Every structure is written in C-alpha cells, then in structure tokens.
Amino acid sequence: MLNCIKTLVAFVVVVSAFSCGQKTQPYNKGINITPKPLELVSKNGKFILKKSTVFVAGNEALSTIADFFIAKINRATGYALGKSSEKNSDNSIELAIVAGLTVNDEGYLLDVSSNGIQIKAKTPQGIFYGMQTLMQLLPAEIESQKPVVTEWLIPCLSVRDEPRFKYRGQHLDVCRHFFDLEYIKKQMDVLAMFKINKFHWHLTDDQGWRIESKKYPQINRISTQRTEGEGNTYGPYFYTFEQIREIVAYARERFIEIIPEIELPGHGVAALAACPELSCTGGHFEVRNIWGVANDVYCAGNDATIAFLTDIIEEVIPLFDSKYFHIGGDECPKIRWEKCPKCQARIKQEKLKDEHELQSWVVAQIEKVLLKHNKKMIGWDEILEGGLATSATVMSWRGEQGGIDAANLGHDVIMTPGNWLYLDHYQGNSAVEYPTIGGYTTLEETYGYEPLPKGLDSNKAHHILGAQANEWTEYIHSPQHCEYMAFPRMIALAEVTWSAKEQRDYKDFERRIDNLSVRLDAHNINYHIPIPEQKSTRTVNHVAFIDSALIDLTTTRPMKIVYTLDGSEPDQNSAEYRQPFRFTANATLKVRSVMLSGKMSRVRTIEIEKQTYAPALSAEPTNVFKAEYYKGKHLKVAELNGKTPDETEQIADPKQYKYHVGDYAEVYERDLCSTVVSGYFSVPADGIYYLSSLADELWIDGKLQISNEGQLKKGAASDKTIALAKGVHAIKAIRLGNIIKGWPSQWDNSFWQISDK
Ligand code: ACM
Ligand code: ZN
C-alpha cells in the first residue's frame, strides 16, 4: 500500500512538472529564436531551469556575462542563481571561451541536454549571443521585470550559429526630436536581445545640436533649442559628456557599439545659430523649425570652420569606444558656396574643379583629424560625389548604387537604402497610421531586403559590412511613437543581417512575432500592430454608398480582427471578423487586430453613410480657379472671416498658386500666406467618388467635406468617398499659412484629389 502511494505521488509530481500549472501559451509554442540560427538540431527532452541552476564561468569576462543573465533571470523567476568557476553540478549553464571553433568571432555553439547546458564561443560577445538564444528558448515571460510563476523549460537541442554580417545596426535621429537617456537604455536592452551590434547616434542637425560642447558653450545655450512654428520652445535638450559615457558603457555591456554622427558640411544650421561666423553669409540664423534641407551650410572657405569642426570632433572622440566616426555628408546644397568669395578662393587655391570637389576637400580635412585619432570615417553616399576620401566607409541611403560604386572602388559599405530600411516610412495605409514623412515599407519588405546588391562584383562582396535601419524623427514626437515605428521592423533587420540567406523565411518570421512581442511587452515597447485596412476598395474612414457598401478587411500581416457595430470599443472578446460586410444602412464599424497574447492594435472607426447623389449645378464647367491670398500667419479658418484678400488672381490649376514654394524650400514666418482656391469641377457620371485633401478645409457645393484645421496637414488621414451626380459641382479649398510640427503649409501644392478609383 505504502509503495503504491509513493508511486502515485511520483506520478503526480511528474505530471505537474510537465502538464499541470500553466498550459503552454500559444505564443510560446515552437522554437522562436530570432534572428534564426544557422543550424539547429532538436533532441528529446527538456532542461529545467531551477532555483539550484548554476552558471559556470571560468574567467572575469564570462563572469560578467553570467551576472548580466543571473540578474535578468532573477527579475523574471525570482531565482537567485549561483555562479562558480568550475563545473560541479549537473544542472548548470556552462560558459566557455574556446579557440578554433567552427564559427566566426560573434558566433557560438549551444548545447542543451536535460542535465546541463553548454555555450562555447571564441569571444565573450559570442557567449552573450548564445545566452540571448537561450533566453529565447525559455517562455517569453523570461523577459518579465517581475517574478512570474511558470515552468522554465528549455527544449534539448544543439545550435551552431554565427552572423552573416558584421554590421547590424540601428540609427536614431535625436535632433528633430530628442530621446532621453532612459529611452536609449531601453532600446539597448531590446536591440541586444536580437543581436544588433551597432547604434548610430545622429547627434547634430539643422533643428538641434544634442551633445554638450565644453569648448563652445554658446552651442549648449543656443543650438540645443528651437522656437517651433506654433510658437512654443522645444528644448534645450542635449546629452552631457557624462551621460554619453554612461550610455556608451551601458551599450558596451550589451555588446553594442555606439557610433556618433556629427554632421558636416550641411545640416549645420543649429551650430550656425550659435556661430554665424562659420557660415558663408554671416547670418542671422535661428535653429531651424521646419524640416527639409537648409541652403545655409558651413562655409568651406573659412579656416575657422575646419578649426571648429576639428575641436568638436576632438571633444567627441574620447567619449566613444567605436573605431568608427560618422561625419554625415548628405544633402549639402552648394548654392551658398557658389556665391561665397571665401569658398571660391578655396576652390582656386586647392585647384578644385567645382563645389562637389570642395565638399570632398572638407571631408578630406576631417578625415585627417579622424585618422590622427585612429578612427575610421563613415559618410552618407553623397561623399562619393566629389571624389571619395581614401579611408571612408559609405552608408548607401539613396538606394543601392552608392553602395555598389563604393564597394567596387574597394571601400567598405553599410547598406541603408530607403525603400527597405527607413523606419520613418509608413508601415500600413496612411488612412490608418499616424502621419509620417512619407514612404511605404511594410515589415515584409524590410524582411525581404538583401544586403548584397545585385550588380556588385562578387569579389567585392566582402566590402558590404552589413545593413542598418534608419529612424529619422521629424514626425516622431514621443518615445512611444519612436518604438511604434522601429518595432517589429528592427527585428526583421536583425534577421536580415544575422541569418544565413537560405534560413530566411518570412512566413516563419511572422509566426515568431507573437512570441517576440510578448518579450517586447515585458520591456514596455510600444510596437506596431497592424490595423485593419480595406481589402478590395480604397482604405478610407468615411464610406458613402447609394444601394449598399461592401467593406472587406485585411492587415499587412495575417491577424485576427475583431469588430463592433454599436459604437463601443472592440476588445479581444468582441465578434471576430470572418467575412466581408455588406451594409445597406448607415453604420459605425469599429475594428482592431488582436495578437495571440491578446494585445490589440489601435481602434479604427469607419463611418458608413447612405447618400443620394449630390445634384449637379446648372453652371458650365470652367477651366479657371479663383485664388485669394491672405498674407500672414493664420491658425484658424475663422481668422479669415470678413478679411479682404491682399491679392486675387485667376489660375488654370490650383497647383500653381502663387505662394507655393516647392518641397523643402526655405519658408520663414514672414513668408506665410493663406490661400483660398475656388472654382468648379465636373464628374462624368453619377457615382461614388474618392475625395482627398490636405487643405485646412474642403467644401463641395457649399458643404464642408473635409476639415484638417489644426492638424499636421501632411498627414491628414481624412480622405472619404462621396456620392455625386453627373455634371458640374462647386469646390473651395482653404489652406492656412502656418507651420505645424515643422511642416509649412506652403510646401503643399495639392489642394484636393477627386477620382473614381
Ligand atoms: C539621409 O536620410 N538624409 C541620410
Ligand atoms: Zn563660404
């Protein structure tokens, strides 16, 4: 009898270890290692991480890594794991540096069996990555910041893994919007989980200078803040030397190298505001409060410019331990140099051909400074244009050609082409996403990027060091938004740069995102969750119909979609979308997507409205529009009420309004002007038409159809459809003269778009 009870107890214990307690969460199923390892062989059995599990770390570097993961495991499990320099227990995680392994310097071998785990690598960095892989074999809850009760099981397997590329990077612009120390540290924590090893820190630009200068205190005072178009002050924001050192050390612990960028010879208006004598014209300058490219750049003919840049660079160099230093070099207009006597004298004196060679001359001066300090220079691909500095590494951003050319010339290259790797691009339809600077790059497109460009000589492939995703922050105002744009596309980049080409498989990556997202949740990362879009019609939030409206939904990757029709916010228990809707009466449809963890996307509201065709006017169609101009800055349409226009003219095309200045041209407060365009248009048949406008107000037949007042006009997501009868209709658009979030309305020339598609 006693024997029998013992057997029963043993049985119960075994059952509880493997199947009682929490059932495996759906997102924890399968192997979720990301980036995907080179080779993985599954074996039978499990290793159980317990209170008594011990790290074996035979030297100081390994001991530091063990401490890092002991602390992480402690947060999630509550266990205080031990550490020893020699193996004396079976339940151990043994870290060992071994020469001569068949992996590269960042690679590792991982072996998990039920009675022990071994990680071997040639370097501590390889060990660190082996440990990150081990974390990903545990339930996603291992990233939790407070203890979780679950079974900490690791499947038995062996992995041989190494990165395909040495350079696996993220860039962040902290000039347009500033991100504090805590934010940067949090990013380091999660980037390290995915084996990202470079962080390119864009520290200076026209709209702000974000690093202290001890030698030029006026920079700290003046260049670190701006008065925005709306009138508020942004800043002062900058990192002190001490803070920079703190971040560099924090990143180093996570095997991330931080590469500083000090931009030259363009994108320097913030510095010129403090040091106008370094410009061609002498100023006056304000820290720029609009985006785009400024014509005012450092004067290349002035020796003081080179002295200033040298001083700054020599202040910055000792703060960083990367062998690289980024000097910018992109988007430097030459129009000031063309007219500047000093710049022209420099061209003559140095026997340069033109202003492009003058730019290369400036870069070559800075290269000498960097070489003196044993730093390798990186520049954006424009540095190719007037002849490439001998030691330069090129970042190819305007496409792949710069990278191909530089590699064929024997230079190292980092691929960052906009079409695939710009994190400021839309990742879903603009009608459902927050406004961005433009572009459209889905997760799948980022994932599909191949860093070795077609057209590159195969014997030059070794010059492609890797790839980087860039996050410019003109339209990214908050840390939460910054994460929303970066994740999960940054994780796709991690797999693009780490995993072997033949291992990459987008469908499998998509599957793993549910698990990875729970890990990101533990770090409070606000990643993007696809929002439902229309599938077979345009994605608009106001849908007009006559007889019925079809709404079918899709997402940029497969997601469960939930909805409500009673105006309430959908939650994960709301009805699941399974088939298209056919509406025959007015409705409010609210939709959102749900992850396997239950986490949901933002809610999208679609108004569906039964209309009759708006009757046509008896007027004849005309090919002219009246444009009325009201000089000055106006924040509200009501400010124009009762005012007489300063000028009026007839124009054949609304795009040709007088005060449109072209994308990214300079616009100063004194140039602001509101424009009202009115006239007629005709439609060829009764129908439902698509209507889109970036104007503050758009009126059709005397009815307000679109209002964007006070919104960032560039991103106005207020497109709609509308029922119009065949014939002529009246239209009026009001565009206010102002600058909202760095976007002057006078950069836009599209007043409206009406089409039947
Ligand atoms: C860049 O995106 N201007 C490098
Ligand atoms: Zn000059």
Side-chain angles (χ1 to χ4, degrees):
M1 184 65 195
L2 196 63
N3 234 353
C4 189
I5 288 171
K6 257 178 150 172
T7 310
L8 192 64
V9 168
F11 178 69
V12 168
V13 169
V14 169
V15 166
S16 75
F18 289 102
S19 62
C20 287
Q22 294 73 25
K23 65 177 185 341
T24 304
Q25 295 289 353
Y27 54 77
N28 275 331
K29 293 207 169 118
I31 299 286
N32 291 294
I33 304 168
T34 304
K36 218 167 168 193
L38 187 61
E39 288 168 17
L40 184 149
V41 179
S42 289
K43 299 191 283 193
N44 288 331
K46 308 257 189 229
F47 175 92
I48 308 170
L49 184 83
K50 300 187 211 145
K51 270 206 283 261
S52 56
T53 301
V54 173
F55 272 88
V56 180
N59 68 32
E60 202 183 315
L62 295 178
S63 181
T64 304
I65 295 171
D67 288 342
F68 180 91
F69 287 96
I70 286 171
K72 181 190 272 281
I73 291 167
N74 177 256
R75 285 192 293 274
T77 65
Y79 303 164
L81 300 193
K83 189 175 65 173
S84 102
S85 55
E86 279 173 32
K87 185 168 173 180
N88 44 30
S89 132
D90 259 0
N91 194 274
S92 62
I93 301 171
E94 201 181 340
L95 311 180
I97 301 286
V98 179
L101 294 178
T102 59
V103 287
N104 64 29
D105 282 353
E106 293 182 279
Y108 62 90
L109 303 182
L110 164 67
D111 189 77
V112 180
S113 65
S114 53
N115 55 14
I117 294 174
Q118 278 190 327
I119 299 175
K120 294 183 195 152
K122 288 171 163 170
T123 64
Q125 189 167 3
I127 297 287
F128 182 81
Y129 292 145
M131 277 306 303
Q132 291 291 12
T133 293
L134 191 66
M135 293 299 104
Q136 293 181 350
L137 289 165
L138 282 159
E141 287 73 13
I142 195 65
E143 294 297 333
S144 172
Q145 307 301 312
K146 49 184 195 300
V148 173
V149 178
T150 191
E151 293 157 331
W152 301 105
L153 303 180
I154 302 174
C156 293
L157 46 65
S158 60
V159 169
R160 188 174 80 88
D161 195 15
E162 64 179 16
R164 179 175 174 212
F165 292 101
K166 280 190 201 145
Y167 192 110
R168 307 178 299 278
Q170 181 178 5
H171 154 285
L172 180 65
D173 164 17
V174 293
C175 305
R176 278 53 179 266
H177 288 100
F178 181 74
F179 299 90
D180 68 11
L181 232 53
E182 285 315 301
Y183 178 82
I184 306 289
K185 285 185 179 173
K186 186 178 164 195
Q187 301 312 302
M188 296 300 134
D189 289 344
V190 289
L191 293 174
M193 284 159 55
F194 302 103
K195 307 183 174 91
I196 292 293
N197 66 352
K198 301 284 190 280
F199 179 70
H200 168 182
W201 212 357
H202 183 77
L203 289 165
T204 69
D205 214 305
D206 298 317
Q207 292 82 3
W209 185 286
R210 303 289 174 222
I211 179 167
E212 177 183 14
S213 173
K214 299 239 190 255
K215 194 148 185 186
Y216 298 89
Q218 68 270 40
I219 288 271
N220 308 337
R221 231 178 24 251
I222 297 170
S223 311
T224 59
Q225 53 185 317
R226 63 176 180 257
T227 306
E228 298 202 291
E230 295 90 330
N232 54 306
T233 302
Y234 185 84
Y237 295 125
F238 64 94
Y239 308 104
T240 63
F241 284 7
E242 207 175 311
Q243 289 174 321
I244 299 261
R245 285 198 192 94
E246 185 180 330
I247 290 290
V248 168
Y250 193 88
R252 190 189 305 125
E253 265 184 59
R254 288 151 183 77
F255 295 91
I256 295 175
E257 185 180 312
I258 301 193
I259 299 165
E261 179 183 353
I262 303 290
E263 263 271 32
L264 61 100
H267 284 290
V269 172
L272 297 182
C275 311
E277 69 280 7
L278 304 179
S279 70
C280 292
T281 64
H284 169 84
F285 305 103
E286 303 277 341
V287 177
R288 190 171 158 100
N289 68 358
I290 57 173
W291 315 130
V293 175
N295 287 327
D296 288 295
V297 301
Y298 293 105
C299 175
N302 187 347
D303 290 339
T305 295
I306 306 298
F308 167 82
L309 292 170
T310 303
D311 287 342
I312 291 286
I313 288 169
E314 290 190 331
E315 278 191 313
V316 173
I317 282 175
L319 306 176
F320 292 88
D321 54 9
S322 172
K323 66 179 183 208
Y324 289 110
F325 196 103
H326 201 304
I327 56 88
D330 62 321
E331 299 177 325
C332 178
K334 309 295 186 294
I335 74 170
R336 296 285 184 259
W337 292 358
E338 283 161 11
K339 302 227 163 61
C340 170
K342 284 188 191 152
C343 287
Q344 291 306 314
R346 178 84 75 200
I347 289 178
K348 231 167 158 182
Q349 175 203 333
E350 299 294 334
K351 300 191 173 47
L352 306 172
K353 202 168 79 214
D354 57 15
E355 288 73 20
H356 292 291
E357 289 200 355
L358 181 58
Q359 164 149 343
S360 292
W361 179 86
V362 174
V363 170
Q365 305 317 299
I366 300 305
E367 183 190 26
K368 282 184 214 158
V369 178
L370 295 176
L371 289 175
K372 196 168 97 193
H373 295 279
N374 285 321
K375 295 286 169 180
K376 283 175 75 117
M377 183 171 77
I378 305 181
W380 299 110
D381 58 51
E382 284 93 330
I383 66 169
L384 278 154
E385 284 168 0
L388 193 50
T390 326
S391 69
T393 295
V394 170
M395 257 186 194
S396 188
W397 73 277
R398 292 179 297 179
E400 298 188 290
Q401 197 55 46
I404 295 169
D405 294 345
N408 283 340
L409 287 168
H411 288 255
D412 284 348
V413 168
I414 297 146
M415 300 305 288
T416 69
N419 284 352
W420 296 271
L421 302 184
Y422 266 42
L423 300 171
D424 53 349
H425 286 185
Y426 280 104
Q427 51 199 321
N429 192 289
S430 60
V432 306
E433 294 293 341
Y434 300 118
T436 79
I437 197 161
Y440 182 72
T441 302
T442 60
L443 180 66
E444 185 168 9
E445 285 168 305
T446 299
Y447 190 88
Y449 184 60
E450 168 47 40
L452 288 186
K454 289 195 190 88
L456 178 69
D457 297 347
S458 59
N459 63 350
K460 295 292 194 286
H462 63 282
H463 283 303
I464 306 293
L465 302 182
Q468 171 176 288
N470 294 341
E471 189 159 19
W472 300 100
T473 58
E474 287 93 333
Y475 295 97
I476 299 176
H477 308 121
S478 69
Q480 292 75 18
H481 191 194
C482 203
E483 291 168 358
Y484 184 86
M485 300 305 283
F487 294 100
R489 288 184 292 189
M490 251 333 283
I491 307 179
L493 188 273
E495 190 143 312
V496 164
T497 49
W498 178 284
S499 302
K501 199 173 167 187
E502 47 293 348
Q503 284 289 350
R504 273 161 57 191
D505 170 353
Y506 180 66
K507 281 287 146 206
D508 186 62
F509 177 72
E510 254 179 13
R511 176 191 67 76
R512 283 175 274 142
I513 289 182
D514 275 293
N515 177 278
L516 306 176
S517 297
V518 177
R519 293 170 193 270
L520 296 180
D521 287 335
H523 292 267
N524 195 23
I525 295 282
N526 181 40
Y527 49 85
H528 175 256
I529 303 175
I531 300 165
E533 306 176 3
Q534 269 107 309
K535 190 172 172 186
S536 58
T537 58
R538 261 186 198 270
T539 295
V540 290
N541 298 318
H542 294 85
V543 177
F545 70 91
I546 298 291
D547 299 320
S548 71
L550 170 85
I551 306 282
D552 55 352
L553 298 172
T554 185
T555 40
T556 51
R557 59 173 202 266
M559 303 285 301
K560 173 179 167 183
I561 297 173
V562 291
Y563 70 93
T564 63
L565 286 164
D566 61 1
S568 66
E569 300 292 282
D571 62 30
Q572 47 174 308
N573 301 317
S574 298
E576 185 173 351
Y577 170 83
R578 292 185 191 279
Q579 61 193 45
F581 296 96
R582 172 71 66 182
F583 291 99
T584 53
N586 287 356
T588 299
L589 173 63
K590 290 191 177 236
V591 292
R592 73 200 306 188
S593 326
V594 188
M595 313 257 323
L596 282 184
S597 64
K599 188 147 184 212
M600 294 175 287
S601 75
R602 288 188 289 130
V603 175
R604 176 170 168 231
T605 302
I606 311 168
E607 296 292 352
I608 296 123
E609 188 189 354
K610 185 170 172 66
Q611 294 186 356
T612 51
Y613 296 117
L617 305 175
S618 52
E620 287 297 308
T622 64
N623 289 325
V624 288
F625 294 89
K626 182 164 86 175
E628 297 170 317
Y629 304 112
Y630 300 81
K631 298 241 170 106
K633 170 175 167 176
H634 305 107
L635 292 171
K636 301 228 174 285
V637 172
E639 290 171 42
L640 304 184
N641 287 350
K643 282 217 166 88
T644 310
D646 296 293
E647 288 174 48
T648 301
E649 65 171 341
Q650 303 281 320
I651 50 180
D653 180 345
K655 284 192 167 57
Q656 289 160 2
Y657 77 103
K658 192 165 180 177
Y659 294 99
H660 171 236
V661 292
D663 276 7
Y664 297 137
E666 309 285 334
V667 177
Y668 300 98
E669 191 94 7
R670 62 173 185 266
D671 304 329
L672 295 175
C673 177
S674 296
T675 301
V676 179
V677 171
S678 54
Y680 298 94
F681 69 101
S682 64
V683 292
D686 290 355
I688 301 290
Y689 290 87
Y690 167 75
L691 188 63
S692 162
S693 179
L694 297 180
D696 290 79
E697 285 188 357
L698 183 75
W699 295 70
I700 291 188
D701 298 333
K703 264 172 73 176
L704 180 63
Q705 292 292 347
I706 288 180
S707 170
N708 294 315
E709 187 185 81
Q711 301 293 314
L712 173 56
K713 294 169 190 67
K714 182 170 172 52
S718 43
D719 306 359
K720 64 197 300 187
T721 55
I722 175 175
L724 295 172
K726 175 183 173 176
V728 174
H729 295 267
I731 190 160
K732 179 170 81 167
I734 302 167
R735 178 191 294 295
L736 295 178
N738 56 36
I739 299 169
I740 292 190
K741 297 197 190 306
W743 182 262
S745 58
Q746 282 153 241
W747 279 352
D748 282 325
N749 69 353
S750 69
F751 277 80
W752 61 75
Q753 186 192 340
I754 299 168
S755 69
D756 57 359
K757 299 212 186 69

